[in-house]
Amino acid sequence: MSEHINISPSLMTMDLDQFKEQITFLNDRVDSFHIDIMDGHFVPNLSLSPWFIEQTRKLSYKEMSAHLMVTDPTFWVQQLINIKCEVICMPAENLTGIAFRLIDQIHAAGLKAGVVLNPETSVCDIMSYIDILDKITIMTVDPGFAGQRFLGSMLDKITELRKLREEHGYRYCIEMDGSTNKAHWKMIHDAKPDIYIIGRSGLFNLADNIEDSWNLMIAEFEEATGRKFA
């Protein structure tokens, strides 16, 4: 049996010397692009930016989803609103006292608002505003760097969020981020996230060119899950 898998490539892990080639190829095959924005404080790394989203938009018509790993989400949210980034996902750990304000600000601009739960952060921490979220991202690795150890127990949060959504009619989609690759495809697929973020180990590093990498990713998914990739 085949099924559609909602793939969101993490552009932090792509080959920038093949930027145009990779974006052009992926445009017709993925549902969205995942853009990590780090400030060097919330996590000890720097990554992409609103400017990068603007450059990607010159080649892509797909939805852009920004993953903020920052200490001051207010500063970055306004920049992303200015460029009309379709989805803005904020770190739950830094939303105390400003969650409703920022979510309302994003919605008022006609955009989607999400939060990211890092491994140490539980679903109960976002229950006061879960009903107005459009997306919840579950980190299955420590944030900030590619290639971190996979934390399989974090998949339990996906199961918990699916149950809450079914019971209460919440509208959020559930996304997972971290080590989506051959070793973990089966357990991730069994948890049933709505969106799979996939990066270096699951896509971009599988071959020297994006078409071969994509085909290898599909083969690994099908081998691990026993399902046909549609």
Side-chain angles (χ1 to χ4, degrees):
M1 182 180 295
S2 64
E3 64 179 288
H4 174 70
I5 302 297
N6 189 324
I7 296 291
S8 186
S10 174
L11 298 189
M12 179 182 77
T13 62
M14 72 186 300
D15 295 321
L16 290 179
D17 61 341
Q18 299 178 39
F19 176 76
K20 183 175 182 179
E21 173 189 345
Q22 293 184 344
I23 295 296
T24 302
F25 178 86
L26 292 169
N27 263 334
D28 296 328
R29 293 166 174 83
V30 304
D31 297 275
S32 64
F33 288 111
H34 181 87
I35 297 92
D36 290 302
I37 297 178
M38 310 179 197
D39 63 0
H41 299 285
F42 185 69
V43 291
N45 196 8
L46 294 167
S47 187
L48 308 179
S49 67
W51 176 86
F52 183 89
I53 295 173
E54 291 183 293
Q55 300 311 301
T56 306
R57 276 237 178 83
K58 294 177 181 179
L59 300 172
S60 177
Y61 51 87
K62 292 296 184 177
E63 181 177 88
M64 301 288 166
S65 182
H67 172 188
L68 294 178
M69 287 174 263
V70 299
T71 56
D72 182 8
T74 301
F75 172 79
W76 295 94
V77 162
Q78 187 56 57
Q79 290 192 55
L80 292 165
I81 287 174
N82 291 344
I83 65 167
K84 294 181 168 42
C85 180
E86 289 86 351
V87 188
I88 303 172
C89 295
M90 303 167 286
E93 300 83 5
N94 284 343
L95 289 183
T96 301
I98 57 173
F100 287 97
R101 186 188 325 154
L102 289 182
I103 293 168
D104 288 348
Q105 184 180 349
I106 293 167
H107 285 160
L111 306 171
K112 297 176 183 178
V115 298
V116 183
L117 297 183
N118 288 323
E120 297 85 358
T121 306
S122 67
V123 172
C124 68
D125 291 319
I126 61 170
M127 288 304 296
S128 60
Y129 52 86
I130 194 171
D131 58 317
I132 57 173
L133 292 173
D134 302 296
K135 180 188 280 189
I136 301 174
T137 304
I138 300 301
M139 294 299 298
T140 51
V141 297
D142 283 328
F145 293 89
Q148 298 293 305
R149 179 171 71 90
F150 181 72
L151 304 170
S153 61
M154 297 302 108
L155 297 175
D156 292 341
K157 295 180 187 177
I158 296 174
T159 303
E160 181 181 359
L161 287 168
R162 288 178 58 245
K163 183 179 179 182
L164 284 168
R165 185 171 63 184
E166 292 167 5
E167 290 177 348
H168 299 282
Y170 296 144
R171 69 190 187 200
Y172 55 75
C173 62
I174 306 166
E175 177 177 77
M176 64 74 53
D177 183 1
S179 285
T180 309
N181 56 39
K182 182 178 181 179
H184 310 124
W185 263 123
K186 179 65 166 61
M187 66 180 76
I188 293 170
H189 181 261
D190 286 347
K192 299 180 181 178
D194 301 308
I195 303 171
Y196 301 76
I197 297 172
I198 192 160
R200 186 172 299 159
S201 65
L203 177 61
F204 291 110
N205 268 14
L206 296 182
D208 291 334
N209 66 80
I210 189 61
E211 182 173 2
D212 288 346
S213 292
W214 181 262
N215 291 334
L216 282 169
M217 181 201 73
I218 292 174
E220 291 182 352
F221 167 84
E222 294 180 344
E223 179 183 354
T225 66
R227 310 278 291 189
K228 291 290 291 181
F229 188 100

